[in-house]
Amino acid sequence: MQTKHFLTEAQLESLNSPMRLAIIQRLEVDKEATVRDLAHRMGKAATALYHHIRELEEIGLLRIVGERKGTRRPEAIYAMVAPYLSSAKAVKTKKGRKIYSRSGGRVADAAARAFSSAVQHGDARFDGASRNAAIRFYVLRADKQKLARLNQLLQELEELACHSCDEGEEIQLSVLLSPTGKKQDGG
């Protein structure tokens, strides 16, 4: 199996559905699951997921990797087509960038909901080496050297985050990097 799948514009657009994005995020952690498994872990009814699972399978983001005996009939076991999904090719077009910008908003919204829920339920730790919750917002000027270093750190973070542990606490890490559109005057 390939380790990286380059999303098409249509696949990226499909992930703008909060439910389909949540399914993919769940499978990033669980690797494989039936619809019933996903429904249980996501706190949703299985009937609410079938349409989205079918859409993700038809568009080429999910595949059936086996089946498990169900209560009435065998249940399909689903997995992502690759452990890592990349938007690098999809954003090379104007349409792809427009879709990607909406995706950024969806990811930020999902991150904000997860953060708020964790804080409200008392699951968040804000100090020390076992900290599992933090918010950082920086606006800064970055020359080419600083921007290159930030991107190097993001690449290291991405490589670390793409290899989930088999055990331990489940966390969500979301990063948005964008220009503000403002440039420093030369004078």
Side-chain angles (χ1 to χ4, degrees):
M1 178 178 71
Q2 63 186 16
T3 58
K4 186 184 282 190
H5 174 78
F6 291 94
L7 297 170
T8 65
E9 289 174 355
Q11 290 170 332
L12 186 59
E13 181 73 56
S14 177
L15 294 177
N16 274 327
S17 157
M19 185 66 76
R20 288 192 283 276
L21 179 61
I23 290 167
I24 290 293
Q25 289 173 325
R26 185 76 252 158
L27 285 170
E28 284 178 323
V29 174
D30 295 343
K31 308 301 179 213
E32 298 180 355
T34 65
V35 173
R36 273 188 337 149
D37 294 336
L38 288 167
H40 174 73
R41 292 177 189 139
M42 295 170 64
K44 305 285 182 189
T47 54
L49 300 183
Y50 283 109
H51 162 76
H52 298 288
I53 293 286
R54 193 169 29 258
E55 168 80 19
L56 289 166
E57 185 181 7
E58 288 174 1
I59 204 144
L61 293 177
L62 291 186
R63 60 192 173 93
I64 296 175
V65 295
E67 64 180 37
R68 190 178 301 151
K69 183 179 172 153
T71 53
R72 295 184 191 149
R73 60 179 179 236
E75 294 181 274
I77 300 171
Y78 294 93
M80 293 172 35
V81 294
Y84 179 69
L85 303 178
S86 172
S87 57
K89 289 185 180 177
V91 298
K92 291 185 178 188
T93 67
K94 185 175 181 179
K95 180 181 176 186
R97 287 188 295 276
K98 186 174 182 178
I99 295 167
Y100 191 61
S101 71
R102 288 195 310 271
S103 298
R106 296 282 190 207
V107 168
D109 289 345
R113 284 191 303 275
F115 182 84
S116 292
S117 176
V119 171
Q120 290 173 9
H121 291 99
D123 300 329
R125 295 184 305 277
F126 300 99
D127 300 316
S130 65
R131 175 178 56 191
N132 65 2
I135 295 176
R136 299 290 185 268
F137 181 80
Y138 304 100
V139 176
L140 61 127
R141 288 197 177 91
D143 58 19
K144 287 182 181 184
Q145 184 178 1
K146 183 175 219 124
L147 191 56
R149 177 66 179 131
L150 287 169
N151 278 293
Q152 179 184 11
L153 291 169
L154 286 173
Q155 183 64 39
E156 290 175 30
L157 181 60
E158 185 175 307
E159 289 170 14
L160 184 63
C162 283
H163 301 286
S164 191
C165 299
D166 291 333
E167 295 187 21
E169 181 176 11
E170 196 173 296
I171 62 169
Q172 178 175 316
L173 178 65
S174 301
V175 178
L176 295 175
L177 171 68
S178 67
T180 63
K182 299 175 185 174
K183 294 185 179 182
Q184 181 180 6
D185 290 337

